[in-house]
Amino acid sequence: GENVEQHPSTLSVQEGDSAVIKCTYSDSASNYFPWYKQELGKGPQLIIDIRSNVGEKKDQRIAVTLNKTAKHFSLHITETQPEDSAVYFCAANGLTFGKGTHLIIQP
Amino acid sequence: DVKVTQSSRYLVKRTGEKVFLECVQDMDHENMFWYRQDPGLGLRLIYFSYDVKMKEKGDIPEGYSVSREKKERFSLILESASTNQTSMYLCASSFPAGAYEQYFGPGTRLTVT
C-alpha cells in the first residue's frame, strides 16, 4: 500500500517569513495530492491540491510543487501570518495521510 | 456549503461497552470515510464506503465495524470498546468516486475508561 512521510513534525517561523513542508510517497501510481489545514477544535479543511499531470499550483500565498520522478511534493506558504498557525497534513490519493506538521508563526 | 456533522463532540465510555459514532452529510456525496487521529500518527483510515450498504476496510479496521443504510449516514461501531481505542474520530465525505477533496466533520473525542 501507499506510505506517506511528512517533515518536519514542527515548524516555527517568524511572521512574514516563508514556510515549507515536505512529503514523500511510495506508490508511483498515486495521482492526487491534497494538503489540509486543521485548526484547533476543527476537522481538516482542504487548502490546495495538485494532480500528477501538473508540476506546480498556486493560490495567493500558498503553492504546491510536485516532483513525480522523486515522488515528493511540498507546500509553500509565503508571507506567513498568525492565522496560518495550525496543523497541516499532506495526503496521497486522498486516503493516506502524513503524520502532520504543527506550524507555529512567531509574532 | 458542505456540512458533515458528527453526533457527539465528546464521549466517555467504559471498557467493553458497544459504542456507536454517527456521521451525517448533507451534500449527497457518494463516498464516506472514518479516520482516527492520534498525536504523532496523523490520520489513519479505519473504513470507507463508496455506496449504500457497501464498505471497504482501511488501514486499521480491527476492533471496528461500520454501517451505511442510507446515503447520507455512515456509522462507526466499536463492538467492545477498549482503552486503546481512546482517540479523536473524524468522519469525512467526498464526491465523486476516486481521488477528490474530502470534507471533514469536527470530530468526536472518545475516551474509553
Side-chain angles (χ1 to χ4, degrees):
Chain A
E2 177 64 274
N3 183 51
V4 176
E5 299 283 340
Q6 182 174 346
H7 299 280
S9 57
T10 303
L11 178 60
S12 181
V13 301
Q14 290 293 125
E15 182 178 349
D17 288 349
S18 296
V20 181
I21 302 170
K22 299 181 179 181
C23 288
T24 60
Y25 61 99
S26 60
D27 187 353
S28 56
S30 291
N31 60 11
Y32 175 63
F33 306 93
W35 285 90
Y36 290 86
K37 176 183 180 181
Q38 185 177 28
E39 297 175 334
L40 203 60
K42 298 183 179 180
Q45 185 173 9
L46 182 80
I47 55 171
I48 196 166
D49 56 9
I50 192 167
R51 296 189 183 272
S52 57
N53 58 347
V54 175
E56 184 176 3
K57 184 176 178 181
K58 288 184 180 179
D59 183 3
Q60 300 183 339
R61 297 186 297 108
I62 295 173
V64 57
T65 58
L66 172 65
N67 183 325
K68 286 176 57 181
T69 303
K71 289 190 281 189
H72 68 70
F73 57 111
S74 300
L75 176 71
H76 304 255
I77 305 175
T78 59
E79 300 173 9
T80 53
Q81 301 171 5
E83 54 265 34
D84 294 329
S85 293
V87 179
Y88 291 81
F89 293 98
C90 63
N93 279 337
L95 294 181
T96 304
F97 285 75
K99 289 180 169 53
T101 296
H102 185 195
L103 177 62
I104 301 165
I105 309 301
Q106 302 278 6
Chain B
D1 282 348
V2 175
K3 193 164 185 182
V4 178
T5 56
Q6 296 183 229
S7 51
S8 306
R9 291 302 301 271
Y10 300 93
L11 209 52
V12 179
K13 296 292 182 180
R14 293 196 179 275
T15 302
E17 278 193 81
K18 189 169 186 175
V19 181
F20 292 86
L21 302 183
E22 306 285 345
C23 176
V24 177
Q25 50 95 2
D26 66 357
M27 282 300 291
D28 202 34
H29 281 175
E30 305 287 338
N31 313 312
M32 296 189 75
F33 310 84
W34 275 107
Y35 294 89
R36 65 177 282 175
Q37 181 177 13
D38 300 288
L41 297 180
L43 277 68
R44 293 180 292 166
L45 182 64
I46 305 172
Y47 268 97
F48 60 100
S49 169
Y50 287 143
D51 201 353
V52 175
K53 296 191 185 296
M54 178 272 181
K55 60 185 179 183
E56 292 285 345
K57 292 180 180 179
D59 298 319
I60 53 165
E62 297 79 17
Y64 303 94
S65 62
V66 290
S67 172
R68 194 166 180 201
E69 296 295 318
K70 294 184 177 181
K71 191 175 185 179
E72 67 270 18
R73 187 179 298 270
F74 192 35
S75 301
L76 180 69
I77 304 159
L78 286 65
E79 296 288 343
S80 177
S82 64
T83 54
N84 62 11
Q85 292 178 310
T86 290
S87 185
M88 171 68 82
Y89 290 88
L90 291 164
C91 174
S93 70
S94 76
F95 176 82
Y100 284 88
E101 173 183 4
Q102 291 184 41
Y103 295 85
F104 285 85
T108 295
R109 182 163 296 282
L110 172 67
T111 302
V112 182
T113 62

